[in-house]
Amino acid sequence: MNFYNDNKSLKFYLSHPVMDKIIKLKERDFVDSDNDMMAPVNVEDAIDNYDKVLEIVGDLAANVLEANAENVDHEGPQVLNNEIVYAKGTQKNHEVLRDAGLYGMSLPRKYKGLNFPYVPYVMAAEIVSRADAGFANIWGLQDCAETIYEFASEEIKEKYLPLINEGMTCSMALTEPDAGSDLQSVRLKASFDDEHNCWRLNGVKRFITNGDADIQLVLARSEEGTTDGRGLSYFLYDRRDNAVTVRRIENKLGIKGSPTAELVFNNAPALIIGERRMGLIKYVMSLMNGARLGVGAQSVGLAEAAYHEALEYAKQREQFGKAIINFPQVYEMLGLMRAKIDATRTLLYETSRFVDLYKAYDSVSKERSLTAEERQDMKYSQRHADMMTPMLKLFASEYANQIAYDCIQVHGGSGFMKEYKCERLYRDARILSIYEGTSQLQVVAAIRFIGNGSYLKRIEEYEAMPLAEELLPLRQRIVKMKENYLKIVEAADKFGTSSETYDFLARRMVEAMGHLIMSHLLLQDVNRSKELDNTEAPEFMNSCKIMIALGESEIAKILTFVENFKEEDLQMYK
Amino acid sequence: MNNKEFQIVVLAKQVPDTHNVGKDAMKEDGTINRAALPAIFNPDDLKALEMALACKDALKDIMPVKVTIITMGPSRAAEIIRESMFRGADNGFVVSDRRFAGSDTLATSYALSAAVKKLGKIDIVFSGRQAIDGDTAQVGPQVAEKLEIPQITYAEDLLYVAEDEIVIKRRLERGVETVKTGFPVLVTVHGNANDCRPRHAKLLMTNKKACSVSEVLERQQSMEDMEALWAKKPFLKIEEWNADDINPDFERLGLTGSPTKVKSIENVVLTSKENKKINNSESEINELMKELVSAHII
Ligand SMILES: Cc1cc2nc3c(=O)[nH]c(=O)nc-3n(C[C@H](O)[C@H](O)[C@H](O)COP(=O)(O)OP(=O)(O)OC[C@H]3O[C@@H](n4cnc5c(N)ncnc54)[C@H](O)[C@@H]3O)c2cc1C
Ligand SMILES: Cc1cc2nc3c(=O)[nH]c(=O)nc-3n(C[C@H](O)[C@H](O)[C@H](O)COP(=O)(O)OP(=O)(O)OC[C@H]3O[C@@H](n4cnc5c(N)ncnc54)[C@H](O)[C@@H]3O)c2cc1C
């Protein structure tokens, strides 16, 4: 088994036309190809590298991580002598991925990374998550390296970044008992110790994944007397300083292999990342965007696993004299699973491409000044990354939950039993719509781009993209959907965009937009797949039509609701 | 740091995947239909590679260490040299010649020992215990004899290695034995030994273009381009040796060097001749246990 090779969609997105630009930027037009033995010489060579490395990931995920997942779920981590000890399988997983060189994938080669763009890195995250979504957190926290690379001083970078590839683990400590969705109220105190010329951290963090990591990034209040986000800075704590107590680890519903810790910082020495006061407003926002992309990948990977489970079971299980997959209600569930996975995956890689472009420009800009055109492209990509990320997080995590739910449904009574994997997938899925910002907070982030018309502009761009003649009728249906979307927004706007009613209706508007985006993306995929004229290319037609049909009915439903809604209705819910 | 380069050789073979046998795996005449089976890295040899790489890890801070793969087989056996390079081997040689055809274990070990000799001074030779296509477990020990060096067979674990000695745990039929020796030595590695480490992403990207001249010709790639690449990155050239290159006594190669004569090969279909139904009762299970013990099965 290989979780990369058995999924044609991944190769399909790896060869997306925009990859050409991304790779050239990321590789600085291949300047390293002469002096660095592993640097690619051209775009084709780079894609071949990603392909071959993902094959390693697919192999280890299918044959090591997947095989360990059940035991990891049962055994879980524990705290021994103030240290978090992983379940045996977790430790093995970590070692095997480290030995395969799969930590620090996106870091420049200079810091011992693989210099991979986000697209293949996110694919690796998807593949790892398909095997064990809980472990994907521990592995995925290598994202922290990206924040250090982007914002920390050269000294910190040189000291810490090369360690990531060697398997040093990371964590990001943001949440506190009284600061969850609202990170502006973080209280953990950072004060400067003149005598030792370092910062000192004091206070409590809660719900910290991999809390006992080697390298911990901590959001703390450095400006005494402040109460909002502008008083927060970002710090790096080195575990070797032994100044943090692991108070407990949580007993959770799912992702049981991933330790979630409560930590007490006891005058812990720390280095500041970047500038004071920029902790939340700049660095954490950037880190969170990366982490949300990670949860998107985790969601798609988990959903893929659930789909396979359900499909296999439905083919084998017979009732009323035939395999249950032959019942319309059962194959509808399976077809919808497939379509939702295809829809969120295409959104996942669309988002990753925007993230790639702006991060690559940002990185280039550290070496030379960008041309006016490049600056514009960078801004464009960043804005699109910012607006696609919450949409992705919202839909991918909610769909993963629906798919895990249906996976159990297809299994009937057996699905409710601990013997079947779908039970674990169902529990693991539940966190996806909560951490890295709940679904509600994704709506809060996305509604801005509804209000200022950014999403709509992107929709117009999709509408203008070249498309095969025979696909135009499908596009016409999405254009019709957009007309209903416009009516929804118009109706909501009447309440005033800063009204409580508008907030109440926000999720509906965002979801309607999500359907438009996913439908367009799938249609583009159908188009490119046809152009490739390659039997290896996945079909996207069924998923595309299913998602358009679903989108049409969802948007019609939302329109009815919003048009009938009155301000006084809010009272009914209170 | 000691300047002398520590030389480790791994003898590895590409074999038909006999664990995934389809119905056309055997030819009419009872020989293996190699074309119908995927070619894989012989499993015990992968474990030998791991032990070699573990030695390299342990020694590389005190002296330079080189792990070289020698494989005898058709030119496509270069695949397993690349595979080894993805996991940490430095390079390898494909020993390939029609004149080796029909080699039994004696002729094979003769050719391999000649190839090892050609490399000059060697500290450790690792081989797998046995190959899954022949299952003889003779080649490793015979190579040691021909090289006139000590051998440790059935190695299960590398306990210690230093500049001048190695300690190995061997698996015996009824227990284990710990052996210490100096160099040179040949070690055959048992299937219980540690699994080979995964391919390493960086080694893969660095070495993926490694190939031999025969492969360039077979793939109809431009030889000029490859020559240019090899000039820049010599480690990407997988060398091929033919019979002349290893300075052999030609009498001892291939069919003429193989005293084994195959009389006939039978296609054996295993069927259970005798079966017995045991009821799930205390007394019947006791009977079965007694029978198994007296037959030395358990
Ligand atoms: C397993 C696990 C691992 C975690 N790992 C980490 C980690 O590694 N690092 C870290 O820093 N944190 C971590 N967290 C914390 C996680 O990010 C928070 O739990 C999450 O942000 C929600 O915060 P909260 O739990 O305080 O919920 P609350 O903020 O109290 O939210 C409760 C409910 O109120 C809703 N709500 C809150 N504000 C609004 C609003 N303005 N509009 C609409 N609805 C709102 C929420 O959507 C939610 O439904 C982890 C949590 C868990 C469970
Ligand atoms: C905790 C628990 C307690 C239980 N207690 C009892 C009890 O006390 N007594 C008792 O007798 N049973 C009991 N059951 C069994 C329970 O009633 C069955 O599990 C349930 O009826 C579903 O049957 P199944 O598990 O065989 O699933 P299946 O019938 O195999 O169903 C699998 C899937 O196929 C679908 N499907 C099957 N046939 C059709 C069809 N014709 N059209 C469309 N879709 C179809 C199902 O909806 C489901 O999605 C219990 C089960 C559980 C889990």
Side-chain angles (χ1 to χ4, degrees), chain A residues 257-285:
Chain A
S258 166
T260 310
E262 187 166 311
L263 307 169
V264 185
F265 288 75
N266 313 307
N267 219 24
L271 301 166
I272 189 161
I273 305 246
E275 291 169 51
R276 278 169 82 154
R277 295 172 174 270
M278 301 301 262
L280 181 65
I281 50 186
K282 190 158 175 199
Y283 312 144
V284 169
M285 280 305 149

PDB file of all heavy atoms in Angstrom, chain A residues 257-285:
ATOM      1  N   GLY A 257      -3.535  10.163  20.503  1.00  0.00           N
ATOM      2  CA  GLY A 257      -2.085  10.018  20.468  1.00  0.00           C
ATOM      3  C   GLY A 257      -1.362  11.350  20.565  1.00  0.00           C
ATOM      4  O   GLY A 257      -0.168  11.402  20.857  1.00  0.00           O
ATOM      5  N   SER A 258      -2.083  12.416  20.319  1.00  0.00           N
ATOM      6  CA  SER A 258      -1.478  13.748  20.318  1.00  0.00           C
ATOM      7  C   SER A 258      -1.629  14.374  21.702  1.00  0.00           C
ATOM      8  O   SER A 258      -2.737  14.664  22.137  1.00  0.00           O
ATOM      9  CB  SER A 258      -2.198  14.588  19.250  1.00  0.00           C
ATOM     10  OG  SER A 258      -1.905  15.942  19.406  1.00  0.00           O
ATOM     11  N   PRO A 259      -0.522  14.561  22.434  1.00  0.00           N
ATOM     12  CA  PRO A 259      -0.652  15.052  23.807  1.00  0.00           C
ATOM     13  C   PRO A 259      -1.101  16.511  23.851  1.00  0.00           C
ATOM     14  O   PRO A 259      -0.581  17.350  23.114  1.00  0.00           O
ATOM     15  CB  PRO A 259       0.766  14.906  24.373  1.00  0.00           C
ATOM     16  CG  PRO A 259       1.671  14.777  23.217  1.00  0.00           C
ATOM     17  CD  PRO A 259       0.872  14.307  22.046  1.00  0.00           C
ATOM     18  N   THR A 260      -2.067  16.804  24.701  1.00  0.00           N
ATOM     19  CA  THR A 260      -2.575  18.169  24.870  1.00  0.00           C
ATOM     20  C   THR A 260      -2.303  18.567  26.313  1.00  0.00           C
ATOM     21  O   THR A 260      -2.867  17.977  27.232  1.00  0.00           O
ATOM     22  CB  THR A 260      -4.085  18.208  24.578  1.00  0.00           C
ATOM     23  OG1 THR A 260      -4.330  17.571  23.317  1.00  0.00           O
ATOM     24  CG2 THR A 260      -4.604  19.619  24.530  1.00  0.00           C
ATOM     25  N   ALA A 261      -1.441  19.542  26.512  1.00  0.00           N
ATOM     26  CA  ALA A 261      -0.905  19.765  27.851  1.00  0.00           C
ATOM     27  C   ALA A 261      -1.298  21.100  28.467  1.00  0.00           C
ATOM     28  O   ALA A 261      -1.544  22.087  27.766  1.00  0.00           O
ATOM     29  CB  ALA A 261       0.619  19.675  27.802  1.00  0.00           C
ATOM     30  N   GLU A 262      -1.334  21.084  29.777  1.00  0.00           N
ATOM     31  CA  GLU A 262      -1.430  22.335  30.520  1.00  0.00           C
ATOM     32  C   GLU A 262      -0.049  22.608  31.090  1.00  0.00           C
ATOM     33  O   GLU A 262       0.562  21.751  31.722  1.00  0.00           O
ATOM     34  CB  GLU A 262      -2.453  22.197  31.651  1.00  0.00           C
ATOM     35  CG  GLU A 262      -2.720  23.504  32.354  1.00  0.00           C
ATOM     36  CD  GLU A 262      -3.966  23.429  33.229  1.00  0.00           C
ATOM     37  OE1 GLU A 262      -5.015  22.959  32.746  1.00  0.00           O
ATOM     38  OE2 GLU A 262      -3.862  23.807  34.400  1.00  0.00           O
ATOM     39  N   LEU A 263       0.455  23.808  30.850  1.00  0.00           N
ATOM     40  CA  LEU A 263       1.838  24.123  31.177  1.00  0.00           C
ATOM     41  C   LEU A 263       1.921  25.302  32.135  1.00  0.00           C
ATOM     42  O   LEU A 263       1.150  26.248  32.020  1.00  0.00           O
ATOM     43  CB  LEU A 263       2.607  24.504  29.904  1.00  0.00           C
ATOM     44  CG  LEU A 263       2.546  23.517  28.739  1.00  0.00           C
ATOM     45  CD1 LEU A 263       3.118  24.165  27.484  1.00  0.00           C
ATOM     46  CD2 LEU A 263       3.318  22.254  29.081  1.00  0.00           C
ATOM     47  N   VAL A 264       2.877  25.236  33.044  1.00  0.00           N
ATOM     48  CA  VAL A 264       3.143  26.386  33.896  1.00  0.00           C
ATOM     49  C   VAL A 264       4.564  26.864  33.626  1.00  0.00           C
ATOM     50  O   VAL A 264       5.517  26.092  33.741  1.00  0.00           O
ATOM     51  CB  VAL A 264       3.005  26.023  35.388  1.00  0.00           C
ATOM     52  CG1 VAL A 264       3.171  27.272  36.246  1.00  0.00           C
ATOM     53  CG2 VAL A 264       1.659  25.363  35.648  1.00  0.00           C
ATOM     54  N   PHE A 265       4.671  28.098  33.206  1.00  0.00           N
ATOM     55  CA  PHE A 265       5.992  28.692  32.950  1.00  0.00           C
ATOM     56  C   PHE A 265       6.488  29.332  34.231  1.00  0.00           C
ATOM     57  O   PHE A 265       5.826  30.212  34.788  1.00  0.00           O
ATOM     58  CB  PHE A 265       5.908  29.723  31.819  1.00  0.00           C
ATOM     59  CG  PHE A 265       5.716  29.092  30.471  1.00  0.00           C
ATOM     60  CD1 PHE A 265       4.487  28.573  30.094  1.00  0.00           C
ATOM     61  CD2 PHE A 265       6.771  29.004  29.570  1.00  0.00           C
ATOM     62  CE1 PHE A 265       4.318  27.968  28.849  1.00  0.00           C
ATOM     63  CE2 PHE A 265       6.613  28.412  28.326  1.00  0.00           C
ATOM     64  CZ  PHE A 265       5.377  27.894  27.969  1.00  0.00           C
ATOM     65  N   ASN A 266       7.644  28.860  34.701  1.00  0.00           N
ATOM     66  CA  ASN A 266       8.180  29.348  35.973  1.00  0.00           C
ATOM     67  C   ASN A 266       9.438  30.179  35.733  1.00  0.00           C
ATOM     68  O   ASN A 266      10.532  29.658  35.723  1.00  0.00           O
ATOM     69  CB  ASN A 266       8.567  28.175  36.872  1.00  0.00           C
ATOM     70  CG  ASN A 266       7.492  27.110  36.925  1.00  0.00           C
ATOM     71  OD1 ASN A 266       6.339  27.408  37.213  1.00  0.00           O
ATOM     72  ND2 ASN A 266       7.853  25.872  36.599  1.00  0.00           N
ATOM     73  N   ASN A 267       9.249  31.452  35.478  1.00  0.00           N
ATOM     74  CA  ASN A 267      10.394  32.314  35.222  1.00  0.00           C
ATOM     75  C   ASN A 267      11.263  31.739  34.094  1.00  0.00           C
ATOM     76  O   ASN A 267      12.493  31.767  34.175  1.00  0.00           O
ATOM     77  CB  ASN A 267      11.223  32.452  36.503  1.00  0.00           C
ATOM     78  CG  ASN A 267      11.738  33.873  36.655  1.00  0.00           C
ATOM     79  OD1 ASN A 267      11.139  34.815  36.104  1.00  0.00           O
ATOM     80  ND2 ASN A 267      12.839  34.041  37.370  1.00  0.00           N
ATOM     81  N   ALA A 268      10.601  31.240  33.090  1.00  0.00           N
ATOM     82  CA  ALA A 268      11.309  30.543  32.012  1.00  0.00           C
ATOM     83  C   ALA A 268      12.031  31.534  31.102  1.00  0.00           C
ATOM     84  O   ALA A 268      11.428  32.492  30.621  1.00  0.00           O
ATOM     85  CB  ALA A 268      10.310  29.731  31.192  1.00  0.00           C
ATOM     86  N   PRO A 269      13.335  31.309  30.858  1.00  0.00           N
ATOM     87  CA  PRO A 269      14.078  32.202  29.955  1.00  0.00           C
ATOM     88  C   PRO A 269      13.567  32.036  28.528  1.00  0.00           C
ATOM     89  O   PRO A 269      13.188  30.936  28.139  1.00  0.00           O
ATOM     90  CB  PRO A 269      15.522  31.711  30.065  1.00  0.00           C
ATOM     91  CG  PRO A 269      15.419  30.303  30.528  1.00  0.00           C
ATOM     92  CD  PRO A 269      14.178  30.210  31.357  1.00  0.00           C
ATOM     93  N   ALA A 270      13.549  33.117  27.773  1.00  0.00           N
ATOM     94  CA  ALA A 270      13.009  33.021  26.412  1.00  0.00           C
ATOM     95  C   ALA A 270      13.634  34.078  25.520  1.00  0.00           C
ATOM     96  O   ALA A 270      14.113  35.109  25.988  1.00  0.00           O
ATOM     97  CB  ALA A 270      11.495  33.200  26.447  1.00  0.00           C
ATOM     98  N   LEU A 271      13.637  33.777  24.237  1.00  0.00           N
ATOM     99  CA  LEU A 271      14.141  34.720  23.232  1.00  0.00           C
ATOM    100  C   LEU A 271      12.949  35.347  22.535  1.00  0.00           C
ATOM    101  O   LEU A 271      11.952  34.671  22.277  1.00  0.00           O
ATOM    102  CB  LEU A 271      14.978  33.972  22.194  1.00  0.00           C
ATOM    103  CG  LEU A 271      16.196  33.223  22.734  1.00  0.00           C
ATOM    104  CD1 LEU A 271      16.734  32.250  21.696  1.00  0.00           C
ATOM    105  CD2 LEU A 271      17.266  34.229  23.150  1.00  0.00           C
ATOM    106  N   ILE A 272      13.064  36.608  22.213  1.00  0.00           N
ATOM    107  CA  ILE A 272      11.940  37.242  21.522  1.00  0.00           C
ATOM    108  C   ILE A 272      12.058  37.000  20.018  1.00  0.00           C
ATOM    109  O   ILE A 272      13.146  37.003  19.443  1.00  0.00           O
ATOM    110  CB  ILE A 272      11.839  38.748  21.846  1.00  0.00           C
ATOM    111  CG1 ILE A 272      10.540  39.321  21.286  1.00  0.00           C
ATOM    112  CG2 ILE A 272      13.052  39.504  21.315  1.00  0.00           C
ATOM    113  CD1 ILE A 272      10.147  40.646  21.926  1.00  0.00           C
ATOM    114  N   ILE A 273      10.909  36.723  19.408  1.00  0.00           N
ATOM    115  CA  ILE A 273      10.864  36.543  17.951  1.00  0.00           C
ATOM    116  C   ILE A 273      10.448  37.873  17.337  1.00  0.00           C
ATOM    117  O   ILE A 273       9.389  38.415  17.688  1.00  0.00           O
ATOM    118  CB  ILE A 273       9.816  35.484  17.573  1.00  0.00           C
ATOM    119  CG1 ILE A 273      10.095  34.195  18.312  1.00  0.00           C
ATOM    120  CG2 ILE A 273       9.696  35.340  16.052  1.00  0.00           C
ATOM    121  CD1 ILE A 273      10.494  33.031  17.502  1.00  0.00           C
ATOM    122  N   GLY A 274      11.257  38.394  16.457  1.00  0.00           N
ATOM    123  CA  GLY A 274      10.907  39.631  15.755  1.00  0.00           C
ATOM    124  C   GLY A 274      10.788  40.806  16.705  1.00  0.00           C
ATOM    125  O   GLY A 274      11.562  40.941  17.656  1.00  0.00           O
ATOM    126  N   GLU A 275       9.771  41.639  16.459  1.00  0.00           N
ATOM    127  CA  GLU A 275       9.628  42.866  17.234  1.00  0.00           C
ATOM    128  C   GLU A 275       8.603  42.721  18.342  1.00  0.00           C
ATOM    129  O   GLU A 275       7.653  41.953  18.219  1.00  0.00           O
ATOM    130  CB  GLU A 275       9.145  43.990  16.315  1.00  0.00           C
ATOM    131  CG  GLU A 275      10.161  44.436  15.302  1.00  0.00           C
ATOM    132  CD  GLU A 275       9.511  45.346  14.277  1.00  0.00           C
ATOM    133  OE1 GLU A 275       8.833  46.308  14.678  1.00  0.00           O
ATOM    134  OE2 GLU A 275       9.651  45.052  13.077  1.00  0.00           O
ATOM    135  N   ARG A 276       8.786  43.535  19.375  1.00  0.00           N
ATOM    136  CA  ARG A 276       7.790  43.606  20.450  1.00  0.00           C
ATOM    137  C   ARG A 276       6.463  44.075  19.890  1.00  0.00           C
ATOM    138  O   ARG A 276       6.422  44.786  18.905  1.00  0.00           O
ATOM    139  CB  ARG A 276       8.264  44.609  21.506  1.00  0.00           C
ATOM    140  CG  ARG A 276       9.255  44.005  22.463  1.00  0.00           C
ATOM    141  CD  ARG A 276       9.888  45.074  23.303  1.00  0.00           C
ATOM    142  NE  ARG A 276       9.041  45.457  24.442  1.00  0.00           N
ATOM    143  CZ  ARG A 276       9.545  45.978  25.563  1.00  0.00           C
ATOM    144  NH1 ARG A 276      10.855  46.136  25.704  1.00  0.00           N
ATOM    145  NH2 ARG A 276       8.752  46.322  26.550  1.00  0.00           N
ATOM    146  N   ARG A 277       5.394  43.663  20.516  1.00  0.00           N
ATOM    147  CA  ARG A 277       4.015  44.086  20.207  1.00  0.00           C
ATOM    148  C   ARG A 277       3.463  43.490  18.916  1.00  0.00           C
ATOM    149  O   ARG A 277       2.307  43.689  18.572  1.00  0.00           O
ATOM    150  CB  ARG A 277       3.916  45.630  20.084  1.00  0.00           C
ATOM    151  CG  ARG A 277       4.187  46.357  21.372  1.00  0.00           C
ATOM    152  CD  ARG A 277       4.265  47.852  21.096  1.00  0.00           C
ATOM    153  NE  ARG A 277       4.381  48.591  22.358  1.00  0.00           N
ATOM    154  CZ  ARG A 277       3.331  49.033  23.044  1.00  0.00           C
ATOM    155  NH1 ARG A 277       2.116  48.818  22.610  1.00  0.00           N
ATOM    156  NH2 ARG A 277       3.506  49.662  24.177  1.00  0.00           N
ATOM    157  N   MET A 278       4.296  42.813  18.157  1.00  0.00           N
ATOM    158  CA  MET A 278       3.811  42.276  16.884  1.00  0.00           C
ATOM    159  C   MET A 278       3.366  40.826  17.022  1.00  0.00           C
ATOM    160  O   MET A 278       2.923  40.212  16.051  1.00  0.00           O
ATOM    161  CB  MET A 278       4.902  42.351  15.812  1.00  0.00           C
ATOM    162  CG  MET A 278       5.403  43.736  15.554  1.00  0.00           C
ATOM    163  SD  MET A 278       4.037  44.791  15.039  1.00  0.00           S
ATOM    164  CE  MET A 278       4.291  44.717  13.296  1.00  0.00           C
ATOM    165  N   GLY A 279       3.486  40.285  18.253  1.00  0.00           N
ATOM    166  CA  GLY A 279       3.236  38.864  18.483  1.00  0.00           C
ATOM    167  C   GLY A 279       1.935  38.356  17.906  1.00  0.00           C
ATOM    168  O   GLY A 279       1.924  37.455  17.065  1.00  0.00           O
ATOM    169  N   LEU A 280       0.834  38.955  18.334  1.00  0.00           N
ATOM    170  CA  LEU A 280      -0.464  38.453  17.868  1.00  0.00           C
ATOM    171  C   LEU A 280      -0.800  39.011  16.491  1.00  0.00           C
ATOM    172  O   LEU A 280      -1.151  38.265  15.585  1.00  0.00           O
ATOM    173  CB  LEU A 280      -1.564  38.831  18.868  1.00  0.00           C
ATOM    174  CG  LEU A 280      -2.952  38.323  18.469  1.00  0.00           C
ATOM    175  CD1 LEU A 280      -2.994  36.809  18.477  1.00  0.00           C
ATOM    176  CD2 LEU A 280      -4.031  38.877  19.387  1.00  0.00           C
ATOM    177  N   ILE A 281      -0.643  40.329  16.380  1.00  0.00           N
ATOM    178  CA  ILE A 281      -1.187  40.935  15.167  1.00  0.00           C
ATOM    179  C   ILE A 281      -0.442  40.514  13.914  1.00  0.00           C
ATOM    180  O   ILE A 281      -1.013  40.469  12.846  1.00  0.00           O
ATOM    181  CB  ILE A 281      -1.289  42.483  15.281  1.00  0.00           C
ATOM    182  CG1 ILE A 281       0.030  43.076  15.759  1.00  0.00           C
ATOM    183  CG2 ILE A 281      -2.406  42.872  16.202  1.00  0.00           C
ATOM    184  CD1 ILE A 281      -0.062  44.573  16.028  1.00  0.00           C
ATOM    185  N   LYS A 282       0.815  40.154  14.037  1.00  0.00           N
ATOM    186  CA  LYS A 282       1.523  39.766  12.825  1.00  0.00           C
ATOM    187  C   LYS A 282       1.948  38.292  12.831  1.00  0.00           C
ATOM    188  O   LYS A 282       1.566  37.519  11.964  1.00  0.00           O
ATOM    189  CB  LYS A 282       2.749  40.675  12.651  1.00  0.00           C
ATOM    190  CG  LYS A 282       3.401  40.495  11.320  1.00  0.00           C
ATOM    191  CD  LYS A 282       4.238  41.703  10.938  1.00  0.00           C
ATOM    192  CE  LYS A 282       4.994  41.444   9.647  1.00  0.00           C
ATOM    193  NZ  LYS A 282       6.107  42.371   9.498  1.00  0.00           N
ATOM    194  N   TYR A 283       2.718  37.911  13.829  1.00  0.00           N
ATOM    195  CA  TYR A 283       3.349  36.588  13.769  1.00  0.00           C
ATOM    196  C   TYR A 283       2.361  35.454  13.991  1.00  0.00           C
ATOM    197  O   TYR A 283       2.361  34.462  13.265  1.00  0.00           O
ATOM    198  CB  TYR A 283       4.507  36.503  14.779  1.00  0.00           C
ATOM    199  CG  TYR A 283       5.444  37.687  14.709  1.00  0.00           C
ATOM    200  CD1 TYR A 283       6.032  38.205  15.853  1.00  0.00           C
ATOM    201  CD2 TYR A 283       5.729  38.299  13.491  1.00  0.00           C
ATOM    202  CE1 TYR A 283       6.901  39.292  15.795  1.00  0.00           C
ATOM    203  CE2 TYR A 283       6.580  39.392  13.409  1.00  0.00           C
ATOM    204  CZ  TYR A 283       7.155  39.889  14.562  1.00  0.00           C
ATOM    205  OH  TYR A 283       7.993  40.959  14.505  1.00  0.00           O
ATOM    206  N   VAL A 284       1.514  35.617  15.021  1.00  0.00           N
ATOM    207  CA  VAL A 284       0.571  34.527  15.292  1.00  0.00           C
ATOM    208  C   VAL A 284      -0.459  34.419  14.172  1.00  0.00           C
ATOM    209  O   VAL A 284      -0.855  33.322  13.781  1.00  0.00           O
ATOM    210  CB  VAL A 284      -0.102  34.708  16.669  1.00  0.00           C
ATOM    211  CG1 VAL A 284      -1.253  33.736  16.835  1.00  0.00           C
ATOM    212  CG2 VAL A 284       0.927  34.502  17.767  1.00  0.00           C
ATOM    213  N   MET A 285      -0.843  35.548  13.626  1.00  0.00           N
ATOM    214  CA  MET A 285      -1.797  35.520  12.512  1.00  0.00           C
ATOM    215  C   MET A 285      -1.204  34.714  11.353  1.00  0.00           C
ATOM    216  O   MET A 285      -1.892  33.916  10.716  1.00  0.00           O
ATOM    217  CB  MET A 285      -2.126  36.943  12.047  1.00  0.00           C
ATOM    218  CG  MET A 285      -3.146  37.596  12.933  1.00  0.00           C
ATOM    219  SD  MET A 285      -4.625  36.557  13.041  1.00  0.00           S
ATOM    220  CE  MET A 285      -5.198  36.915  14.667  1.00  0.00           C
TER     221      MET A 285
END
